[in-house]
């Protein structure tokens, strides 16, 4: 079993493996993009965008189960990659991964971090969100994800970033990534404006 912990989505975080019922971490010695690629593919999270070490997602707990991992990048599972089972590491060297299917959000151009144009980081770039399906559920999910309370208004803006994302939430999901979404599909975004939101909370 394999998971990412300490990140903002299931496709970002500290690499953790389960062995004989115990979860442990991977040391960052030799940790690089081919290693991270295998993790992302195994978790169905696309490709690796970054392979940070140095406990970038916080220090893990339990045993350190792998060191000097040497994937070539084509392996189906991290456990198929050559690695040292003995290690000289501590948890301050825990390896992490950011995969291409990880999504994070911000609001720009508003009075603070809880108001403005909706922008999503996905596949390595910041993009705008089309307002063609941007209704109360979608806006409220985003406000809650950002710790900004509930949605008050949904203003529109011009598209100024390279990509366009569409979200459709049937209910109040934990995050927009768990709603239906499409990236750079022209039909749902045809003649749309960029979505915005004003939440009732305040942020940095």
């Amino acid at each position: 079993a394999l998971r990412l912990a300490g990140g903002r989505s299931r496709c970002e975080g500290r690499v953790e493996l389960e062995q004989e019922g115990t979860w442990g971490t991977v040391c960052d010695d030799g940790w690089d993009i081919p290693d991270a690629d295998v993790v992302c593919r195994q978790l169905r999270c696309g490709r690796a965008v970054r392979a940070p070490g140095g406990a970038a997602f916080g220090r893990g707990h339990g045993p350190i189960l792998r060191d000097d991992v040497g994937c070539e990048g084509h392996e189906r599972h991290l456990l198929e990659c050559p690695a040292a089972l003995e290690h000289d590491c501590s948890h301050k060297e825990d390896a992490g991964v950011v995969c291409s299917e990880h999504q994070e959000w911000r609001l720009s151009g508003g009075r603070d971090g809880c108001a403005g144009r909706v922008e999503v980081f996905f596949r390595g770039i910041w993009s705008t969100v089309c307002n063609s399906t941007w209704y109360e559920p979608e806006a409220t999910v985003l406000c809650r994800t950002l710790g900004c309370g509930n949605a008050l208004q949904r203003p529109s803006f011009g598209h100024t970033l390279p990509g366009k994302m569409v979200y459709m939430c049937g209910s109040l999901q934990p995050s927009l990534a768990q709603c239906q979404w499409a990236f750079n599909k022209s039909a749902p975004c045809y003649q749309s404006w960029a979505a915005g939101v004003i939440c009732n909370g305040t942020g940095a």
Side-chain angles (χ1 to χ4, degrees), residues 43-138:
L43 293 174
R44 294 194 174 97
C45 284
R47 296 188 59 87
V49 178
R50 290 194 293 120
F57 297 101
R59 298 184 184 194
H61 305 282
I64 295 168
L65 296 173
R66 290 286 184 283
D67 190 11
D68 293 313
V69 176
C71 303
E72 292 180 19
H74 58 75
E75 295 88 350
R76 291 193 358 260
H77 299 284
L78 189 63
L79 295 180
E80 293 175 14
C81 301
L85 301 182
E86 301 293 315
H87 69 84
D88 54 0
C89 304
S90 70
H91 281 299
K92 70 180 185 209
E93 297 169 83
D94 283 343
V97 171
V98 181
C99 303
S100 60
E101 298 298 290
H102 164 68
Q103 298 179 32
E104 59 188 84
W105 302 272
R106 67 186 181 194
L107 298 175
S108 72
R111 62 171 191 261
D112 61 19
C114 288
R117 185 182 60 201
V118 181
E119 297 177 351
V120 54
F121 183 77
F122 180 61
R123 295 183 184 165
I125 59 167
W126 284 98
S127 300
T128 45
V129 173
C130 302
N131 72 352
S132 50
T133 58
W134 188 253
Y135 300 116
E136 197 73 29
E138 291 79 14

Side-chain angles (χ1 to χ4, degrees), residues 3-54:
R3 68 186 181 194
L4 298 179
R8 289 159 292 190
S9 76
R10 70 173 199 87
C11 293
E12 174 195 73
R14 178 179 60 253
V15 180
E16 296 190 346
L17 289 165
E18 186 185 27
Q19 204 163 294
E20 296 171 2
T22 302
W23 285 93
T25 63
V26 175
C27 182
D28 65 6
D29 293 343
W31 185 254
D32 57 14
I33 288 289
D35 304 322
D37 253 344
V38 173
V39 171
C40 292
R41 193 164 54 250
Q42 187 176 341
L43 293 174
R44 294 194 174 97
C45 284
R47 296 188 59 87
V49 178
R50 290 194 293 120

